C-alpha cells in the first residue's frame, strides 16, 4: 500500500508493533483528553486563502537559532526508538541529516549521544535535558553533548513527576532486557529503587525552579530552549531569565490531562514574547496545513514526535525520511493553495493573522 499521509504510517505502526509498545507510544495521561485535543484543535482552525498572488516558486527554508533548515518541521524528543526499529535513534539522526532539519535527541534514548552524533556527523542536533536530584548526572551529560557538537539544550520543564499513563500501568511496561537508556550506562548501577521508564524511580528533581536556568548557563555556552511552556506568564519569565527559545508543548498530552492544546496556547505566548526569542510548537502536527496554521499563529518551527516513531516502525531511516517528505510536500502545496509565501508569512502575516484570529468567531479563521 502506498503511504500517502501520516495516518497511513500510524495504521501500519499500530498493526505491526506489539500492543505494549504501541500503547507506550500512543499513551496520554489519564483520560487522554489533552492528547486528543492536540489533534482536534487544529481541525477547529480554518484558513482564509488569498488569491491572484504569484506562487510559482515556493521556498520552504527557514532558520532556527541562526541555522538554516530545509523546512520548518523537526523531530521532537521521543524516547526508546529501538522499540520501533532496531537501529533506533541512529536511524532517526541519519534521516534528519539527509533532509537537513533539526533532530532533538531525547535523554531517554536507546542509543547514546555519542552513537547518535557518529551516525550523522553533519546533522543539526539539539539535546533534550532533564534535571536530576543528583546534579552531577545532568552536568556530565551537558558537557558530553556540548563536546559532541550538539547545538542547543532543550530543558524539559513539565515533568516534576511522571504523568499517569494508564495503559503503561496495565501493561506493566518495561524496556525489554536487550535495551537500555544508554546515556546512563554505569550511572545508576548502585540504585535499588524500582525502575520507571528505564531508570530508577524518583531520580528527577521536582524542586527545580527558574534559578536552574542560571545554573545551566554556568555550565555551557549552548543556547537554552525551554520545552513545556503553555502560558503567557511563564513565557515572560522565560524571556526575563535569558533563554533563547520556547517550545510550546504539553508533552504530547502525556503529563497533565486538562492542559490546553498546544495550538490553542500558542497565540498568547507569541504575544507575550513579542519576537524577543523564537517560539516553536509540538503536539498534534499531522498535515502540512497543520504546519501552516502553527506558523501563521506565530511559531517559528514545529516538531513532530509520534509520527517519527511511526516512520521508524514502517521502514527505519527511510520511513522517517518519507514522513518528513510528505509533510514538506503538503506544506509546500498548502502554501501555494493559500497563496502565500513562507518568507512573507514570517515577516508580514503574523500581526495580520493575530488580529484576524482575535476578532474571529468559532471556528477560528485567519487570512494569509
Amino acid at each position: 500500500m502506498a503511504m500517502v499521509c501520516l495516518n497511513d504510517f500510524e495504521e501500519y505502526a499500530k498493526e505491526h508493533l506489539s500492543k505494549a509498545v504501541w500503547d507506550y507510544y500512543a499513551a496520554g495521561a489519564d483520560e487522554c483528553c489533552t492528547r486528543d485535543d492536540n489533534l482536534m484543535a487544529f481541525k477547529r482552525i480554518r484558513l482564509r486563502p488569498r488569491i491572484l498572488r504569484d506562487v510559482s516558486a515556493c521556498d520552504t527554508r527557514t532558520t532556527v537559532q541562526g541555522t538554516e533548515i530545509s523546512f520548518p518541521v523537526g523531530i521532537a524528543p521521543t524516547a526508546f526508538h529501538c522499540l520501533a526499529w532496531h537501529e533506533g535513534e541512529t536511524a532517526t539522526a541519519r534521516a534528519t541529516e539527509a533532509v537537513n532539519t533539526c533532530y532533538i535527541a531525547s535523554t531517554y534514548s536507546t542509543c547514546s549521544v555519542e552513537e547518535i552524533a557518529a551516525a550523522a556527523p553533519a546533522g543539526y542536533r539539539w539535546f533534550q535535558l532533564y534535571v536530576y536530584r543528583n546534579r552531577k548526572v545532568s552536568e556530565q551529560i551537558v558537557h558530553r553533548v556540548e563536546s559532541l557538537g550538539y547545538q542547543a539544550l532543550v530543558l524539559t520543564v513539565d515533568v516534576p513527576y511522571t504523568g499517569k499513563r494508564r495503559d503503561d500501568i496495565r501493561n506493566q511496561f518495561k524496556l525489554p532486557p536487550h535495551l537500555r537508556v544508554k546515556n546512563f550506562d554505569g550511572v545508576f548501577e548502585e540504585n535499588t529503587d524500582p525502575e520507571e521508564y528505564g531508570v530508577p524511580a524518583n531520580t528527577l528533581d521536582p524542586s527545580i525552579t527558574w534559578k536552574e536556568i542560571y545554573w545551566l548557563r554556568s555550565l555551557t555556552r549552548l543556547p537554552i530552549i525551554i520545552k513545556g511552556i503553555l502560558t503567557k506568564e511563564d513565557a515572560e519569565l522565560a524571556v526575563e531569565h535569558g533563554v533563547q527559545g520556547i517550545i510550546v508543548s504539553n508533552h504530547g498530552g502525556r503529563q497533565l490531562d486538562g492542559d490546553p492544546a498546544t495550538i490553542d496556547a500558542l497565540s498568547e505566548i507569541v504575544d507575550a514574547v513579542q519576537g524577543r526569542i523564537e517560539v516553536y510548537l509540538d503536539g498534534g502536527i499531522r498535515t502540512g496545513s497543520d504546519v501552516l496554521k502553527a506558523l501563521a499563529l506565530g511559531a517559528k518551527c514545529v516538531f513532530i514526535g509520534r509520527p517519527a516513531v511511526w516512520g521508524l516502525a514502517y521502514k527505519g531511516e527511510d520511513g522517517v525520511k518519507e514522513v518528513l517528505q510528505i509533510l514538506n510536500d503538503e506544506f509546500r502545496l498548502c502554501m501555494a493553495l493559500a497563496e502565500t509565501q513562507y518568507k512573507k508569512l514570517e515577516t508580514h502575516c503574523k500581526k495580520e493573522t493575530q488580529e484576524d484570529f482575535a476578532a474571529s468567531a468559532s471556528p477560528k479563521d485567519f487570512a494569509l
Side-chain angles (χ1 to χ4, degrees):
M1 182 183 74
M3 308 301 272
V4 175
C5 62
L6 268 57
N7 288 344
D8 291 341
F9 292 87
E10 180 179 16
E11 291 175 8
Y12 181 94
K14 186 173 185 178
E15 181 179 343
H16 288 82
L17 294 174
S18 71
K19 181 181 184 302
V21 170
W22 169 258
D23 285 347
Y24 166 73
Y25 288 133
D30 298 307
E31 296 179 297
C32 299
C33 297
T34 295
R35 180 199 67 181
D36 296 345
D37 201 37
N38 274 350
L39 301 173
M40 295 307 299
F42 277 100
K43 299 182 188 303
R44 294 191 291 265
I45 297 172
R46 296 293 179 265
L47 301 167
R48 296 178 64 237
R50 302 295 297 273
I51 62 169
L52 296 176
R53 296 182 176 185
D54 183 359
V55 291
S56 57
C58 292
D59 184 356
T60 63
R61 292 174 298 170
T62 190
T63 60
V64 287
Q65 298 298 316
T67 296
E68 184 176 280
I69 57 177
S70 61
F71 79 126
V73 178
I75 302 295
T78 46
F80 308 154
H81 286 194
C82 282
L83 289 174
W85 184 257
H86 65 282
E87 293 179 302
E89 290 83 4
T90 60
T92 309
R94 290 195 301 269
T96 50
E97 179 187 56
V99 302
N100 186 31
T101 194
C102 180
Y103 170 36
I104 309 176
S106 170
T107 288
Y108 286 78
S109 294
T110 38
C111 300
S112 69
V113 290
E114 289 82 6
E115 290 170 327
I116 293 168
Y124 183 48
R125 296 180 304 277
W126 298 351
F127 180 76
Q128 176 262 331
L129 178 73
Y130 290 105
V131 176
Y132 292 90
R133 294 175 189 266
N134 180 351
R135 295 302 173 86
K136 288 295 182 185
V137 173
S138 299
E139 287 181 27
Q140 289 168 0
I141 201 160
V142 167
H143 294 317
R144 282 166 67 187
V145 299
E146 187 167 20
S147 69
L148 289 164
Y150 288 72
Q151 291 171 275
L153 292 177
V154 178
L155 177 64
T156 296
V157 294
D158 57 0
V159 191
Y161 302 95
T162 304
K164 183 179 180 181
R165 301 156 197 174
R166 295 176 183 179
D167 283 342
D168 287 348
I169 297 170
R170 293 186 181 108
N171 295 331
Q172 298 183 314
F173 175 82
K174 287 186 178 181
L175 281 177
H178 69 285
L179 296 179
R180 62 190 188 276
V181 183
K182 281 198 173 180
N183 289 322
F184 296 136
D185 277 357
V187 173
F188 296 118
E189 287 182 348
E190 297 181 5
N191 195 307
T192 58
D193 288 341
E195 179 185 304
E196 182 179 64
Y197 295 110
V199 300
N202 302 314
T203 52
L204 292 174
D205 188 349
S207 72
I208 65 169
T209 66
W210 288 99
K211 71 179 185 296
E212 267 64 43
I213 302 300
Y214 302 127
W215 169 71
L216 272 181
R217 178 60 59 224
S218 74
L219 298 180
T220 181
R221 296 181 180 179
L222 293 177
I224 296 172
I225 317 296
I226 291 190
K227 176 180 177 290
I229 286 182
L230 291 169
T231 66
K232 63 183 179 181
E233 293 85 357
D234 282 338
E236 285 282 5
L237 285 168
V239 174
E240 290 173 14
H241 284 80
V243 305
Q244 283 69 50
I246 287 169
I247 301 179
V248 180
S249 175
N250 54 35
H251 218 97
R254 296 165 71 84
Q255 283 298 108
L256 176 62
D257 202 23
D259 276 348
T262 52
I263 193 66
D264 286 341
L266 177 62
S267 292
E268 72 171 69
I269 292 169
V270 170
D271 284 345
V273 166
Q274 291 291 308
R276 290 173 287 176
I277 60 176
E278 293 183 351
V279 177
Y280 319 111
L281 175 140
D282 68 22
I285 299 290
R286 298 293 184 269
T287 67
S289 66
D290 293 340
V291 178
L292 184 60
K293 290 170 184 178
L295 298 180
L297 291 172
K300 178 72 169 172
C301 180
V302 302
F303 292 88
I304 58 170
R306 292 181 179 96
V309 174
W310 304 337
L312 279 175
Y314 174 60
K315 206 182 289 184
E317 175 186 346
D318 290 339
V320 177
K321 285 193 289 188
E322 198 167 335
V323 163
L324 289 168
Q325 190 59 57
I326 286 172
L327 273 179
N328 197 355
D329 291 344
E330 289 180 350
F331 173 58
R332 187 187 303 271
L333 177 61
C334 192
M335 277 204 305
L337 295 179
E339 301 211 22
T340 188
Q341 289 288 350
Y342 184 27
K343 302 305 176 188
K344 190 175 292 184
L345 185 67
E346 286 190 300
T347 56
H348 298 299
C349 286
K350 289 174 185 174
K351 181 174 185 297
E352 177 186 354
T353 56
Q354 294 299 324
E355 291 170 352
D356 284 350
F357 178 82
S360 67
S362 183
K364 300 164 190 168
D365 62 359
F366 46 79
L368 296 173

